[in-house]
Amino acid sequence: MPSQDSRSEYARRMHRVLEHIDRHLDERLELESLAEVANFSSFHFHRLFAAWMGETLGEYLRRRRLEVAALRLVAQPRLPVLQVALGVGFGSAEAFARAFKARFGETPTAWRSTQQRKRDQAERKPDQATALRGTDDGNMKNTVIDLNVKLVDRQPVTIAYLRHVGPYGPGLADFWTETVASWMATNNLLGRPRYGISQDDPGITAPEKLRYDAGVEVPEDFSGSGSYMKTVIPGGKYASGRFKGTGDQLAASWESMLREWLPDSGMQLDARPFFEYYPIDASYDPQTGVFECDICIPVVAL
């Protein structure tokens, strides 16, 4: 069906651009070079991008830079603000502070302090603290999640994926079961390692803009049916923790990795994506909803 094939090709090209942006936020990202990544004419690319994304290229670049910076400010509390600014492509702390305040209503330093206070207050509440510290009170929501975080070296892996845009939560489970599973079955991809890639932080990015990629390991030359995308998850060093619990515990475990483990680890984040890794032997209990996966965050030495 030509119209569907054409739309799928547009989507693939735009996904290449968005992936390129996220992995090169510390560089100058010019319209001409991004148009080249998408293989579109630079003359028309700005209009095409705005029509596809619902925001201009400049607005998108500014939003992504500030959202990634906000995450790093909290996850790496000892990282100087200037280093955060430079790491997402701002030329000075002053320019970064102005843009950050316009987006979040506070300076980077004040916002970091506010988020720390919120975390401290949350940890003083027993129902939230147990999910992070993991003391079992018999309630499934608050069962201890001992991630046993380790540093691992992962090889690059090619995946084919489908993207969900919208709020995280129960909708993602429905996306896997109602959309992704049938697509995998159609393409004979069942029984392979799977990946869940949360491209955005739900505490920072607006719910309607949250991106989640449900992927499966494929050969480099994979060619299948449906409106899927293909990418390579980069290799390198990752902090990896084994999660076993229910979907409503997963967010707290991610939070624990970023807010508790990372600041004391001697490591820092880089531009590679975060992901959940579901190995072939990962368990799932449909009666309780308890499942297993490895939570993986990309790290390099401070």
Side-chain angles (χ1 to χ4, degrees):
M1 190 171 171
S3 62
Q4 184 61 42
D5 289 344
S6 177
R7 173 167 286 274
S8 295
E9 180 59 23
Y10 265 80
R12 289 187 183 102
R13 294 189 189 191
M14 286 301 182
H15 279 225
R16 283 204 303 266
V17 172
L18 300 184
E19 184 176 78
H20 181 87
I21 288 171
D22 274 358
R23 296 186 185 181
H24 297 86
L25 282 175
D26 60 335
E27 303 173 11
R28 287 181 63 85
L29 294 168
E30 305 288 357
L31 183 147
E32 291 78 10
S33 64
L34 293 175
E36 187 175 336
V37 170
N39 198 25
F40 282 129
S41 161
S42 60
F43 183 77
H44 296 294
F45 180 65
H46 192 277
R47 181 173 291 178
L48 284 169
F49 187 94
W52 191 270
M53 294 298 298
E55 54 190 325
T56 68
L57 178 60
E59 289 168 343
Y60 182 82
L61 286 172
R62 188 179 308 109
R63 177 169 69 82
R64 287 301 299 147
R65 284 185 161 125
L66 291 171
E67 288 173 352
V68 171
L71 172 62
R72 293 180 182 177
L73 282 167
V74 178
Q76 298 165 234
R78 291 187 288 274
L79 192 65
V81 171
L82 177 59
Q83 192 171 336
V84 173
L86 297 176
V88 295
F90 282 88
S92 69
E94 291 76 18
F96 173 59
R98 287 195 300 271
F100 194 93
K101 187 171 184 179
R103 168 67 175 81
F104 292 102
E106 293 181 294
T107 66
T109 300
W111 192 86
R112 174 183 262 170
S113 297
T114 298
Q115 299 305 309
Q116 180 63 51
R117 283 197 301 273
K118 288 180 179 178
R119 191 189 77 176
D120 292 344
Q121 290 168 0
E123 289 178 349
R124 286 195 289 270
K125 297 178 181 178
D127 58 336
Q128 296 182 40
T130 49
L132 290 174
R133 286 198 314 272
T135 52
D136 188 358
D137 64 357
N139 184 325
M140 175 57 77
K141 278 193 175 184
N142 295 327
T143 300
V144 173
I145 305 297
D146 182 8
L147 295 175
N148 190 23
V149 180
K150 299 176 181 177
L151 291 176
V152 300
D153 290 304
R154 296 185 58 91
Q155 295 300 309
V157 60
T158 301
I159 65 166
Y161 67 93
L162 303 181
R163 174 162 290 182
H164 176 279
V165 179
Y168 294 165
L172 294 184
D174 295 339
F175 180 59
W176 272 105
T177 57
E178 297 171 9
T179 302
V180 182
S182 59
W183 171 80
M184 288 174 59
T186 299
N187 287 278
N188 298 314
L189 295 173
L190 296 175
R192 292 172 176 265
R194 293 172 294 121
Y195 298 79
I197 306 174
S198 300
Q199 300 283 2
D200 305 289
D201 186 325
I204 296 170
T205 302
E208 69 275 9
K209 294 184 182 295
L210 292 171
R211 301 164 298 159
Y212 177 88
D213 297 335
V216 57
E217 217 167 288
V218 296
E220 290 182 24
D221 60 353
F222 171 78
S223 179
S225 63
S227 300
Y228 69 92
M229 313 298 161
K230 198 162 71 170
T231 191
V232 175
I233 297 178
K237 195 170 294 295
Y238 288 83
S240 177
R242 175 55 63 100
F243 170 86
K244 184 173 184 179
T246 59
D248 56 12
Q249 294 172 301
L250 191 57
S253 295
W254 276 109
E255 183 86 2
S256 178
M257 283 272 282
L258 289 172
R259 311 298 197 245
E260 303 298 327
W261 180 86
L262 184 62
D264 296 325
S265 68
M267 310 298 288
Q268 62 181 322
L269 301 174
D270 69 7
R272 291 169 292 160
F274 298 15
F275 58 87
E276 297 145 19
Y277 170 61
Y278 297 85
I280 297 172
D281 61 353
S283 66
Y284 172 66
D285 185 342
Q287 298 299 317
T288 63
V290 172
F291 63 91
E292 285 184 315
C293 70
D294 292 336
I295 295 176
C296 301
I297 61 174
V299 292
V300 293
L302 272 172

